Amino acid sequence: MAVINSTLRMHYVEAGDGEKVIVLIHGFPQTWWEWRFVIPVLVNHGFRVIAIDYRGTGDSWRPADGYDKRTMASDIYSLLTDHLKIQIPVVLIGHDIGLMIAYAYAQEYRRSVSQLVVIDAPLPGTEVFDKIRTDHRVWHFAFHNVRDLPEMLISGRERQYLQYFFNYRIYNTAAITEIDMDIFSQAYSAAGAIKAGLEVYRAFDQDILDNKESMAKNGKLSIPVLAVGGEMSTSGPFMKEMMEEVADNVVSIRVPKTAHWVVEENPGAFIKSLLQFLN
């Protein structure tokens, strides 16, 4: 656990002692546990791996605000530079909401990122985001943006809601086990956890403004970017097009036999492509 400021302590998991550092940023409704299949393989390939519970999730504290992705990126920057004393550029890998945080980090702290991997989600401020935002398959964008009502409806039914959420966007239904559901539902049943989870969606309009401002100020990213889409997901077909809006050096893959939960539905295929990109 790292103290970031007076309102936030961040939980993270660290493994390996390689010279090259990989930072993993999960999505909603998950925690660092999303990366359970990925971490040991990366460690065995000589990487130092840091998997984070971002602000509001898992064992990290749940402050009332600060869920815009620029602020959430600054949390991680403080963790890496002030607490862990990492001075070299890191590889950032983000899925879903983690994708949005990872991009904000790469824009804000350009010299601190060597490579960026973004997995299956629309990025606020892009044309693709506007296109996907109105798709009925991402109904939760609008629902989560409503104040108070989602918390009232989900409270006491966290496991049922999360189970539906996973099943609605999955291909390999064996990927999220009962043990995994126990871990995720326990995390989001904690006091204030669902509210914090929804606040990341309520910040999308601010994220749009921030990302457009960063593009106007800094231009496109120049680092290598791997855009990963699920073969059968909503975002999958648009990942390369989307990242080319904001980055100059983009390669893309579609991971077979996956929908949205790419790194859990087919971890072997994802890791193989990831290692090819990193090497």
Side-chain angles (χ1 to χ4, degrees):
M1 190 78 78
V3 177
I4 305 302
N5 54 49
S6 61
T7 62
L8 178 64
R9 291 188 180 186
M10 287 188 69
H11 173 256
Y12 65 95
V13 171
E14 184 176 8
D17 56 4
E19 292 185 5
K20 196 161 189 176
V21 179
I22 296 179
V23 179
L24 304 173
I25 313 174
H26 64 85
F28 178 90
Q30 298 180 284
T31 66
W32 75 269
W33 184 249
E34 171 179 351
W35 307 103
R36 59 197 176 279
F37 302 124
V38 176
I39 293 171
V41 180
L42 293 178
V43 169
N44 287 339
H45 278 80
F47 294 99
R48 179 184 177 188
V49 183
I50 300 164
I52 293 166
D53 282 341
Y54 60 63
R55 170 185 294 246
T57 61
D59 290 321
S60 292
W61 283 13
R62 295 178 278 279
D65 54 17
Y67 293 94
D68 63 278
K69 309 313 170 290
R70 183 179 285 178
T71 298
M72 296 174 79
S74 73
D75 296 338
I76 297 172
Y77 184 77
S78 295
L79 169 68
L80 298 181
T81 59
D82 298 338
H83 180 74
L84 294 173
K85 307 300 182 184
I86 295 172
Q87 303 299 325
I88 59 171
V90 302
V91 178
L92 278 183
I93 304 178
H95 169 239
D96 188 74
I97 298 298
L99 172 156
M100 304 175 191
I101 301 169
Y103 171 76
Y105 189 111
Q107 269 286 13
E108 194 73 11
Y109 309 106
R110 288 188 164 222
R111 295 185 179 181
S112 298
V113 183
S114 62
Q115 291 155 292
L116 176 65
V117 181
V118 289
I119 307 168
D120 207 76
L123 178 67
T126 62
E127 293 180 7
V128 166
F129 180 86
D130 294 337
K131 184 187 305 183
I132 292 177
R133 193 177 196 179
T134 58
D135 191 305
H136 69 90
R137 290 172 293 179
V138 291
W139 54 270
H140 58 286
F141 279 23
F143 178 57
H144 290 175
N145 197 49
V146 177
R147 287 284 169 190
D148 300 327
L149 179 65
E151 288 93 327
M152 181 180 70
L153 296 176
I154 297 169
S155 179
R157 306 175 185 87
E158 289 86 358
R159 188 186 183 92
Q160 294 94 318
Y161 184 69
L162 267 58
Q163 187 72 72
Y164 178 86
F165 198 87
F166 281 114
N167 288 348
Y168 190 83
R169 311 176 73 195
I170 203 165
Y171 171 81
N172 175 11
T173 56
I176 309 294
T177 67
E178 287 298 309
I179 293 174
D180 301 328
M181 282 303 306
D182 288 342
I183 291 170
F184 293 137
S185 59
Q186 182 179 9
Y188 284 90
S189 297
I194 277 292
K195 177 176 173 57
L198 303 182
E199 288 296 328
V200 299
Y201 291 86
R202 293 165 183 162
F204 280 177
D205 288 341
Q206 183 61 51
D207 297 333
I208 290 170
L209 296 176
D210 289 344
N211 287 344
K212 288 184 175 180
E213 178 187 64
S214 294
M215 271 289 292
K217 177 183 176 182
N218 302 323
K220 292 184 176 183
L221 297 176
S222 58
I223 57 172
V225 175
L226 177 64
V228 181
E231 183 181 32
M232 301 169 190
S233 76
T234 309
S235 305
F238 304 106
M239 290 299 298
K240 184 174 189 293
E241 171 190 346
M242 179 184 79
M243 291 311 297
E244 286 178 342
E245 291 186 50
V246 297
D248 285 324
N249 186 4
V250 180
V251 295
S252 67
I253 61 167
R254 299 284 296 280
V255 180
K257 298 182 179 179
T258 66
H260 179 63
W261 316 104
V262 173
V263 301
E264 292 152 301
E265 294 185 68
N266 194 346
F270 167 73
I271 293 168
K272 180 179 178 181
S273 295
L274 173 64
L275 291 173
Q276 289 174 347
F277 171 74
L278 295 178
N279 292 329

